[in-house]
Amino acid sequence: MTRPGRAGPADMEATVQRIRAAVQAHSRFFEGAIPLIASENLLSPYAKELLISDFHSRYAEGLPGERYYEGNQWVDEVENLCLQLARDLFRCPFADVRPISGTVANLAVLKALTEPGDRVGSNRLADGAHISSASFGAFGLRGVKPVHYAFDPVRMQLDVDATIKILRTERPRLCLFGLSLFLFPFPLKELAPVLQEIGAVGWYDGAHVLGLIGGGEFQDPLHEGMTVLSASTHKTLPGPQHGILLGNTEDPELIHKLQAGAFPGVTSNHHLNAMAALAVSLAEHRAFGEAYARQTVLNARTLGQALSERGFDVLCADEGFTRSHTLAVRVEREGGGEACAQALIRSGIVTNKNLLPGDKSPRHPQGIRLGTPEVTRLGMKEREMVRIAELFDRLLHRGAPPEDVAREARELKSGFTTLQYCFGAGEAAYRYYELVGRN
Ligand SMILES: *Cc1c(COP(=O)(O)O)cnc(C)c1O
């Protein structure tokens, strides 16, 4: 029997070139686009450089100084620095930088602090929770049962009194606070005494808001009664795709459990290149994070106001739209979340459709979610937020052709070519939307 369709080296080289070309086309698209995905951001030049360093090729299982492989001397140096930077930035005694994503960090916490069958407090997906707290996500994988809090969809906020009643009745062992559509800080100070009363551990999922916390905006969960914080490091924290665990605890047993949750619980090697890039990002956040976080939130509130003035139903107008980097817009009148997000991408404006509380069908969300981290990193300020709202209005209310809006979006974007809030971005050769050269 002959093996069918066996490609020769020449075919495969052509395939390699096709892959490179697709990545280049992607980079060119994003270079001319207005990026408004709330969970996305741009990596600084020094951080990005380390992603393709030799750290990528190595293994370092265990903790610095206690590795299983040789050759880790400099990895240990960098990981110790990374841990110190994380503990300093978030003012807490415990950090672990080995989870390779936010979801993996959440799995590490579940592995460390629960047994299958335990009850864990969380929000519903329709109220903005992440899939890791769903039965078909990490919660289901660990076999824990969600206890859902009461949520007020008008204020996009926990209903504190009703939630306290639920906590006292259901007595979950662990309580998770954190959302993917995260507009307002949670009332943690009011809930912390109830957690203590029922003996539950407070767990904050700061995937979306880690960079705001580090920049002194939003809330400071580890100093408002939460014991553990898990997060992604690439959303508002403009770091590499990676995860982190932080803890306001010096209890050696709890620390050991969390560390064992990360390794060997849910990783063997971690991604050393990303860990090194994270160390750079944390140092840059200590230098620039406050100004960046302030501008990110200001931009979100300004964009919310400008869209609202142009007839868009931006949620929580009475609350000032948001206290974070994120906005939720109900686009029922504009044709629904999917139609709007698709019209916007044809105009070079990148968003996502999003479930909103009260949506009748999870398959047909009536909302879109917008975020300002990436445009803020590019140096956009209030004036540009108003221009972006004008593009939305022209496209979705006034019937402007998508090509015209796309041209205006590209023109707006072309004025913002240098990354802000980081070191080394002024270097002329640095093009942050691409890694591979153009040819
Ligand atoms: C994005 C997100 C995560 C998971 O992040 P990944 O790094 O993509 O795995 C976890 N929790 C919340 C609330 C998120 O929004």
Side-chain angles (χ1 to χ4, degrees):
M1 281 225 320
T2 55
R3 298 228 312 224
R6 214 148 176 239
D11 295 324
M12 284 303 104
E13 187 171 7
T15 302
V16 167
Q17 295 307 341
R18 195 173 138 203
I19 295 163
R20 294 181 73 232
V23 173
Q24 286 173 22
H26 165 99
S27 301
R28 271 196 299 279
F29 173 80
F30 271 89
E31 197 171 305
I34 307 290
L36 296 174
I37 301 277
S39 55
E40 293 181 356
N41 215 321
L42 294 166
L43 206 48
S44 80
Y46 290 139
K48 201 167 184 179
E49 167 189 82
L50 298 183
L51 275 186
I52 52 167
S53 68
D54 185 72
F55 269 31
H56 172 265
S57 307
R58 305 300 153 201
Y59 258 72
E61 288 179 348
L63 286 165
E66 309 164 16
R67 306 289 195 188
Y68 292 81
Y69 295 87
E70 298 306 323
N72 287 150
Q73 175 186 348
W74 295 278
V75 171
D76 283 5
E77 182 180 343
V78 174
E79 191 164 322
N80 278 326
L81 262 171
C82 190
L83 290 167
Q84 191 59 49
L85 285 160
R87 290 188 298 252
D88 289 349
L89 182 61
F90 298 100
R91 298 184 298 121
C92 62
F94 169 71
D96 193 314
V97 292
R98 295 174 298 174
I100 57 173
S101 76
T103 300
V104 169
N106 286 353
L107 279 167
V109 174
L110 287 167
K111 176 82 165 55
L113 303 181
T114 66
E115 296 293 335
D118 282 350
R119 283 188 296 249
V120 180
S122 69
N123 277 104
R124 292 186 172 79
L125 292 197
D127 295 337
H130 184 251
I131 46 171
S132 40
S133 51
S135 56
F136 54 82
F139 270 37
L141 190 61
R142 183 59 172 155
V144 298
K145 301 198 186 87
V147 169
H148 288 136
Y149 309 135
F151 195 75
D152 173 359
V154 175
R155 292 183 304 125
M156 291 296 280
Q157 178 58 274
L158 290 180
D159 176 336
V160 179
D161 293 337
T163 298
I164 289 175
K165 280 205 191 99
I166 292 166
L167 291 175
R168 287 197 171 124
T169 318
E170 299 287 333
R171 305 181 76 86
R173 169 169 187 171
L174 179 67
C175 285
L176 167 63
F177 300 97
L179 298 170
S180 297
L181 185 65
F182 209 168
L183 305 182
F184 300 102
F186 278 136
L188 299 177
K189 284 182 191 147
E190 290 167 75
L191 292 166
V194 182
L195 299 198
Q196 205 155 36
E197 172 195 318
I198 63 168
V201 178
W203 168 23
Y204 195 87
D205 181 343
H208 258 271
V209 291
L210 188 67
L212 303 182
I213 295 168
E217 293 282 325
F218 214 61
Q219 62 188 161
D220 190 355
L222 292 175
H223 300 93
E224 295 173 24
M226 295 292 106
T227 306
V228 187
L229 190 160
S230 59
S232 314
T233 57
H234 46 267
K235 296 184 181 179
T236 51
L237 188 87
Q241 294 261 352
H242 203 68
I244 193 168
L245 292 176
L246 299 164
N248 193 357
T249 178
E250 302 196 49
D251 172 1
E253 199 186 330
L254 180 56
I255 287 174
H256 176 75
K257 277 189 193 167
L258 290 166
Q259 287 175 329
F263 169 84
V266 294
T267 62
S268 66
N269 193 27
H270 60 303
H271 296 169
L272 310 177
N273 54 332
M275 180 278 293
L278 175 59
V280 166
S281 305
L282 291 169
E284 290 179 327
H285 212 67
R286 285 199 71 189
F288 306 106
E290 288 183 18
Y292 152 78
R294 201 180 315 119
Q295 190 65 48
T296 300
V297 177
L298 181 57
N299 280 351
R301 290 169 69 92
T302 306
L303 181 58
Q305 180 66 35
L307 286 168
S308 179
E309 283 167 6
R310 285 161 184 78
F312 284 95
D313 182 7
V314 187
L315 267 56
C316 303
D318 291 346
E319 267 73 39
F321 307 106
T322 186
R323 293 271 160 198
S324 75
H325 60 301
T326 302
L327 292 168
V329 189
R330 190 177 297 283
V331 287
E332 228 159 341
R333 289 190 303 244
E334 287 81 6
E338 179 150 20
C340 276
Q342 286 177 357
L344 287 161
I345 195 80
R346 281 197 292 277
S347 302
I349 300 171
V350 194
T351 65
N352 62 276
K353 63 182 173 200
N354 213 95
L355 272 187
L356 296 180
D359 266 355
K360 284 173 201 75
S361 158
R363 308 227 343 263
H364 300 288
Q366 291 305 317
I368 52 173
R369 186 184 67 170
L370 309 177
T372 52
E374 189 167 342
V375 289
T376 304
R377 289 269 285 166
L378 289 165
M380 291 193 189
K381 298 216 157 89
E382 295 94 299
R383 198 159 50 126
E384 287 73 36
M385 297 306 111
V386 175
R387 285 193 64 191
I388 291 172
E390 284 167 1
L391 296 179
F392 272 66
D393 186 39
R394 283 177 30 68
L395 180 76
L396 298 173
H397 289 159
R398 296 171 191 280
E403 316 81 73
D404 290 6
V405 179
R407 198 175 327 111
E408 288 170 45
R410 266 198 306 277
E411 190 190 301
L412 171 59
K413 184 70 174 295
S414 68
F416 297 88
T417 55
T418 308
L419 211 57
Q420 310 290 314
Y421 311 108
C422 62
F423 297 115
E427 287 164 31
Y430 182 63
R431 305 183 67 91
Y432 52 82
Y433 278 105
E434 55 191 287
L435 189 58
V436 285
R438 296 169 183 224
N439 49 32

